[in-house]
Structures are given as structure tokens and as C-alpha cells.
Amino acid sequence: MTSFDQTLNLSEDVIAEFNKNGHVRINDVCNASQVELSRQSIRSAVEDRKSRIALKPLQERDTYGKAFLQIMNLWPDYPDVAKFVMAKRFASVAAQLLRTEKVRIYHDQALYKEPNGGLTPWHQDQYYWPLETDKILTMWMPLVDVTKNMGTLNFASGTGKVGYLGDIPISDESEKILSEMCQEKGFEIVNHGDMKAGDATFHSGWCLHGANENQSSVMREAMTIIWYADETQIIEDPDSQGRWNKGRRDDMARWLPDRQPGEMADGKLNPLIEPFI
């Protein structure tokens, strides 16, 4: 069994593909036995968190609510999930793609797209992140074998370096605005297709992405982890830069509660991982 502490060495071609396109698929990041054990822990944690929230029936939710069940930052409360999130194996991939030695966890989130769940609108993750860096990315790993019709991610290749596009939170409006922009600019839309449990895609913070509906009768269980390069600073004096939107204010309060704008993003919820030591 591949150990979570065993680093995964990437070829320069894979790193170059990520930096060119803003996304890359890597197979067998985690083997089947290990991902199944982690899946059980994650699923148990998700069910525990779900039991504490009032969840409307699917047909009564808005577009965002229909897109997925989003259960955030499980690692601080569930030790078995923390073993998955803190894995040096995953962090080693993130560090190589970001061309850095050390990374910090921003947060994790389970993203379960229910049977007949709706589309995930086009969006930029980094719209929500108050971090002064481009060295930040997300791993999206299915915990079960998934097919394209279950809602694997769509990426707009080449958008990893487009930067902040304005106050466009994930919504019906972002789907319209960003879809039209991709067509106008001629960005190639890529879906990496069917994936086995333990395969993963990695995408940069600015890379435009979304997902289609889950057209199957099976829950699309996926886990995501976000890392950024160590010694990253929180956006300084954000009110004067026009980049301090509501999403970033909320993220600042949630994921960096013990830090202030302009300080280093090294709070108690952002553990350092040195995968090559």
C-alpha cells in the first residue's frame, strides 16, 4: 500500500502542463485501498456535520445549493480525515506544481454532488481567497469511481494567469458572464473524463472551472484540499485596492481568524507541511 508519507515525484512535463493550462490530471495519486479507508472516514464526518444543518430538498434549493453538498474544513475535528488532508504525498504534488518547497493548508472541503444535482457554475476559486499570491491550488479527488456524466470538472485551459476578474461570485450570473468570456477569448474547455477513485485533478486559484449536472443515480463523492506556498501574505490594505469583496471578508474571518490584512498567512488553521523532509 502506498504510504501517505511517500512523496510522488512529478515529471517536468506534468509541471509544465499545469503552469501552461492552469490544471492537470494525475492518475493514481492515492491507491484504491487507501482511498476507500479515507472515504469511510470522510463520509462519516460529512454525515456528522450534515446532521447539524437544516438541508432543504434538492428541488427547493438555489443554483449554488443544487450544485453540491459542501462540507468544509473537516481536518481539525476528525483525526482520521486529518491523516488524509495532511498527507505528505498530496502536499508533495502541490509543492512541485507550485515550484516551492513548503506549503500550507488553506482548508479542505468535501464536495458531494447528489444524484440529479445541478451544474456547478463557472467560477474562480481565488475570488474568495484574501491571499497575495499566485502560488495556490486545489486538488479535486473522487472518492468513488466517477464518469463524466456524474459531473467531473470542466476547465478553461489557459486561464490560470488571467488574475482577478472582478466581483463575480459563483452564481447564475458567473455562469453566464464567464461562459461568454471563454467563448469570446477562445479558451479551450477541457474535461478530464472518467476518473478512478484516487485519481485527481489539480487547478490553480485563477483557473476558471465548473461542472455539469450529475446525470446518474450515484452520489459523486469528492474531496478537495487547497494549499498555498509558505510565506504567503494576506492582502494588505484591501479596501484601497478594490479586491476586498464579501467572499474574501468571509474567508478571512473563517480561515484566518487570528491574522490581519498585511500579515503572514500562517494562522492556527493553516498548518505548514514540508513534504520533502
Side-chain angles (χ1 to χ4, degrees):
M1 183 180 293
T2 302
S3 169
F4 277 158
D5 289 329
Q6 182 180 345
T7 58
L8 179 61
N9 294 318
L10 305 182
S11 71
E12 186 57 39
D13 287 346
V14 169
I15 298 170
E17 180 182 346
F18 171 79
N19 281 278
K20 176 185 177 183
N21 295 328
H23 63 92
V24 70
R25 171 179 175 160
I26 302 175
N27 292 335
D28 301 315
V29 177
C30 185
N31 68 36
S33 298
Q34 222 166 17
V35 77
E36 179 57 28
L37 288 173
S38 298
R39 177 198 175 212
Q40 294 173 22
S41 299
I42 293 166
R43 190 171 188 176
S44 176
V46 167
E47 290 300 321
D48 183 51
R49 285 276 184 87
K50 274 177 58 182
S51 69
R52 306 178 200 179
I53 60 177
L55 193 62
K56 293 181 180 179
L58 185 64
Q59 63 272 18
E60 296 179 16
R61 301 178 210 162
D62 60 14
T63 298
Y64 188 89
K66 290 176 180 177
F68 40 60
L69 296 175
Q70 183 181 36
I71 310 296
M72 306 181 80
N73 228 34
L74 295 169
W75 74 263
D77 299 325
Y78 304 94
D80 287 342
V81 179
K83 293 175 185 176
F84 180 92
V85 175
M86 303 299 168
K88 284 191 174 185
R89 185 168 181 82
F90 304 154
S92 72
V93 176
Q96 289 171 84
L97 294 176
L98 296 176
R99 299 187 186 278
T100 189
E101 290 296 317
K102 305 173 186 178
V103 291
R104 288 186 178 273
I105 299 286
Y106 188 50
H107 65 78
D108 66 64
Q109 54 184 355
L111 294 175
Y112 285 18
K113 191 180 283 286
E114 298 158 284
N116 302 310
L119 64 80
T120 305
W122 284 102
H123 64 285
Q124 291 180 301
D125 290 341
Q126 202 157 341
Y127 164 84
Y128 295 94
W129 301 339
L131 300 174
E132 197 71 82
T133 185
D134 291 331
K135 289 184 176 290
I136 186 167
L137 58 71
T138 300
M139 178 182 82
W140 187 94
M141 177 180 285
L143 303 176
V144 296
D145 294 349
V146 294
T147 58
K148 185 177 179 181
N149 71 350
M150 290 171 69
T152 52
L153 299 190
N154 300 316
F155 299 100
S157 284
T159 58
K161 295 181 173 62
V162 295
Y164 186 71
L165 294 174
D167 194 359
I168 312 174
I170 183 171
S171 59
D172 291 325
E173 184 180 21
S174 75
E175 173 71 12
K176 180 177 185 297
I177 292 172
L178 298 177
S179 178
E180 290 176 353
M181 190 201 80
C182 287
Q183 293 180 24
E184 291 170 2
K185 301 290 186 181
F187 292 119
E188 180 186 8
I189 307 304
V190 174
N191 184 294
H192 291 287
D194 301 355
M195 300 174 70
K196 303 191 308 296
D199 294 342
T201 57
F202 294 78
H203 62 273
S204 68
W206 296 124
C207 182
L208 291 170
H209 62 286
N212 296 331
E213 300 88 348
N214 183 355
Q215 301 172 25
S216 78
S217 59
V218 178
M219 180 78 79
R220 188 213 69 183
E221 300 176 39
M223 187 65 173
T224 69
I225 307 171
I226 304 161
W227 298 267
Y228 56 90
D230 185 30
E231 300 188 2
T232 288
Q233 187 178 14
I234 300 167
I235 293 174
E236 187 173 10
D237 193 18
D239 290 319
S240 68
Q241 298 180 34
R243 294 185 293 161
W244 204 238
N245 56 55
K246 182 181 184 301
R248 287 179 168 176
R249 289 185 186 279
D250 290 346
D251 258 32
M252 180 79 187
R254 178 178 282 187
W255 311 127
L256 295 155
D258 51 347
R259 293 293 180 268
Q260 297 295 321
E263 294 182 348
M264 300 302 292
D266 56 358
K268 63 183 180 182
L269 293 179
N270 313 110
L272 178 68
I273 302 181
E274 301 179 74
F276 304 108
I277 294 178

